[in-house]
Amino acid sequence: MSKSTSKIIHLLYRNRWIAISAFLSVFGGLVVYLLITPRLYLAKVRLILDEKPANSISPLGKDISQTPGNNNKALATQEELIRSKKVLSKAIVLYKQSQGKELPEITLGTVKKEISTQTVPGTQILEISFRHQDPTVTVNLLNLIAKGVVQENSETIRSEARATREFLENQIPQRQQQLVSIEASI
């Protein structure tokens, strides 16, 4: 045991300059790499998607709309909405307006490249993450993107409710006329 240990110590002592130069070159390369590469800051935000009841007038429509796998479709739809040109460009414009100056490094292409979405397994939660070299840009732009997604979803819900109300307002007089004509014929 001591004989093998002494051989290892002798071998290391004999090749000490090679070991030291290898260590210093790797360490130096690491330091240079860390000094040259820009720092990237990562911010994350989570959005909870509510399981809304199906918007259907008939029970058959509710049964059809509640098919298995709708949760994955809803999450995938939200992921595409987050990466959509409309939401991202609106967030960029709002951010540039809030800064009061033109920021050439923040473009739709760079934001689209640095944004990512991930579904938290077993939940209705989407995690949005964004990376940038400036920490304030990272946080503020990600918050604007999340607000844009929430606003888009609210507008969609409002437009669906408006369309349903208009449909019902058009159908009620027609149905009343049919009812009157049926009652008159009886």
Side-chain angles (χ1 to χ4, degrees), residues 24-183:
L24 289 177
S25 64
V26 169
F27 187 74
L30 182 65
V31 168
V32 168
Y33 173 76
L34 290 175
L35 291 175
I36 291 176
T37 56
R39 291 183 177 94
L40 288 177
Y41 296 92
L42 177 70
K44 294 181 180 184
V45 67
R46 288 185 173 192
L47 296 177
I48 299 174
L49 299 177
D50 289 335
E51 291 185 36
K52 61 181 180 179
N55 293 333
S56 179
I57 298 170
S58 70
L60 177 63
K62 287 182 183 178
D63 291 340
I64 291 172
S65 65
Q66 293 178 352
T67 57
N70 267 358
N71 294 341
N72 292 337
K73 290 179 186 176
L75 291 173
T77 302
Q78 291 300 311
E79 286 181 357
E80 289 302 316
L81 177 65
I82 291 165
R83 291 189 201 113
S84 70
K85 181 179 179 181
K86 182 178 180 180
V87 171
L88 294 180
S89 58
K90 188 174 182 181
I92 291 169
V93 168
L94 287 173
Y95 181 75
K96 288 181 179 180
Q97 287 175 353
S98 71
Q99 295 299 310
K101 59 184 176 182
E102 187 64 27
L103 301 169
E105 74 272 359
I106 300 174
T107 63
L108 183 63
T110 58
V111 171
K112 211 169 200 177
K113 188 175 80 172
E114 295 298 334
I115 195 164
S116 64
T117 57
Q118 180 180 355
T119 305
V120 177
T123 66
Q124 291 287 349
I125 298 175
L126 273 178
E127 185 175 80
I128 309 168
S129 57
F130 180 66
R131 296 184 323 170
H132 195 268
Q133 294 175 358
D134 186 2
T136 57
V137 171
T138 306
V139 172
N140 294 334
L141 194 58
L142 185 61
N143 285 336
L144 287 171
I145 291 169
K147 285 179 185 177
V149 170
V150 170
Q151 185 178 18
E152 247 342 276
N153 285 333
S154 299
E155 289 174 8
T156 302
I157 291 169
R158 269 189 246 125
S159 68
E160 287 175 0
R162 189 179 316 112
T164 302
R165 188 189 78 230
E166 289 172 359
F167 173 76
L168 291 175
E169 286 175 352
N170 291 336
Q171 290 297 313
I172 289 174
Q174 293 174 1
R175 299 299 176 196
Q176 285 177 342
Q177 288 176 350
Q178 287 178 350
L179 180 64
V180 169
S181 67
I182 291 172
E183 286 177 350

